[in-house]
Amino acid sequence: MLDNLETVADLLRDADSVAILTGAGVSKESGIPTFRDALEGYWATYDPEKLATPEAFERDPELVTRWYDERRMKVRACDPNPAHHALADIEAALRARGRSFLLITQNVDRLHQRAGSEQVVELHGCLDRWRCTKTGESTTDLPAPFEEYPPTSAHGGLLRPGVVWFGEGLPPDAIEAAASAAQMCDLYFAIGTSGVVYPATGLVMDAKRHGAICVECNPDSTPVSEQFEYALRGPAGTVLPELYALAFGQDQ
Ligand code: BJW
């Protein structure tokens, strides 16, 4: 058995309040690339400056919207994996016991919701929601794929993906809910995230300052690993179902 798994399962079973931050590693086993994997990550092939900034969209909206639409279509063809399902099961088990739970995700693929997670805060938006740059209105009711690039809204403004690019602020409600959950929880997890993007990666410090025990689940160590009391070193799709079974399996 993986080091620390039983200890962390005991902590999970006994926690009054749990906050979980997820990143691209959780969706990797669904076939969605991460960003910073040296070989297969998006940023190994694509330059984030040319695709994931407001300046890139201003410079070349066709290139940017084509890239995001390709990703929107790819994600639709992918399914939640055992990590997403285990997180939904953990939420259900905790909520059935009256415990507090929040899943904070940096992912824009909505696979957590498709797996049945209910209390989800999306820090970096979502690939399915696009926003009119003229009116600011958001919509999910869109052709898939778009018929032309860059796509336009009924009001004649360019549509941009409803994701958060570098240099943009996060949705205030989302970051407030995330910070408050990190500050209130007694057990905090960061799962499948490289821990290099702010403000999400700072949540572990909020949790620690308020006395939470912190657990990192990632096959590799990260620049923030030393902030965590426990490491679960393995793929989320294997580790999380085992964690759920150890913590709650007997009670189902
Ligand atoms: C597995 C696994 C398996 C693999 N199981 N695990 C200088 C210093 C500090 C901060 C800044 C700075 N300059 C600018 C900033 C701020 C900037 C930032 O943090 N930059 C850093 C890169 C330095 N942040 C921002 O701009 C944010 N806004 C903001 O802060 O506003 C105020 C402000 C603005 C400007 C200056 C200062 C303040 C916005 C950040 C938006 C991030 N957007 C993206 C793109 C979203 C849209 C899209 O999808 O295209 O969000 S970037 C990308 O990174 C995406 C992700 O959500 C995010 C995090 O990535 P994640 O999820 O961690 O993925 P990876 O690939 O990095 O890691 C995957 C991990 O999984 C790895 O560790 C693997 O080992 C692991 N893994 N298989 C479990 N099976």
Side-chain angles (χ1 to χ4, degrees):
M1 182 187 300
L2 208 65
D3 282 354
N4 298 324
L5 199 60
E6 272 182 294
T7 312
V8 174
D10 290 342
L11 291 168
L12 181 59
R13 195 182 312 107
D14 294 341
D16 285 325
S17 175
V18 176
I20 299 183
L21 172 70
T22 64
V26 168
S27 295
K28 187 171 172 182
E29 292 160 81
S30 292
I32 301 174
T34 65
F35 292 91
R36 295 174 183 82
D37 181 282
L39 295 176
E40 297 164 1
Y42 283 124
W43 301 158
T45 316
Y46 301 102
D47 179 354
E49 294 288 330
K50 294 204 173 113
L51 293 164
T53 63
E55 294 77 18
F57 178 70
E58 221 164 278
R59 214 167 31 235
D60 195 341
E62 179 178 340
L63 175 81
V64 171
T65 54
R66 271 187 195 281
W67 190 64
Y68 277 96
D69 203 26
E70 272 167 30
R71 286 179 52 203
R72 177 172 70 118
M73 298 310 293
K74 181 177 172 66
V75 157
R76 284 186 178 205
C78 292
D79 293 314
N81 68 55
H84 298 104
H85 289 296
L87 287 168
D89 290 342
I90 288 170
E91 173 180 354
L94 288 168
R95 289 178 69 197
R97 289 162 178 75
R99 316 287 170 75
S100 158
F101 177 89
L102 190 66
L103 182 59
I104 305 156
T105 190
Q106 298 167 89
N107 297 345
V108 294
D109 55 34
R110 305 218 109 204
L111 290 182
H112 286 305
Q113 290 92 335
R114 282 172 54 195
S117 287
E118 290 180 18
Q119 303 280 327
V120 186
V121 161
E122 293 175 322
L123 288 182
H124 293 165
C126 147
L127 281 173
D128 259 338
R129 194 179 317 115
W130 290 57
R131 189 162 74 238
C132 173
T133 52
K134 195 167 163 189
T135 64
E137 266 172 60
S138 288
T139 180
T140 52
D141 183 20
L142 295 161
F146 289 116
E147 283 144 18
E148 52 167 14
Y149 300 93
T152 48
S153 78
H155 302 284
L158 291 186
L159 280 173
R160 60 153 286 178
V163 300
V164 181
W165 286 323
F166 287 113
E168 294 187 312
L170 276 60
D173 291 358
I175 191 64
E176 276 163 30
S180 152
Q183 288 163 16
M184 274 175 40
C185 71
D186 46 22
L187 187 60
Y188 175 86
F189 288 83
I191 304 175
T193 176
S194 58
V196 297
V197 176
Y198 286 86
T201 197
L203 293 171
V204 64
M205 292 309 294
D206 277 343
K208 276 175 82 75
R209 263 196 301 275
H210 289 80
I213 295 174
C214 300
V215 181
E216 181 176 64
C217 173
N218 196 312
D220 298 320
S221 63
T222 69
V224 289
S225 288
E226 64 194 29
Q227 306 293 339
F228 295 83
E229 279 84 5
Y230 296 100
L232 300 174
R233 291 272 168 254
T238 305
V239 173
L240 296 179
E242 286 179 22
L243 179 66
Y244 169 75
L246 274 174
F248 303 112
Q250 309 287 348
D251 308 346
Q252 300 306 306

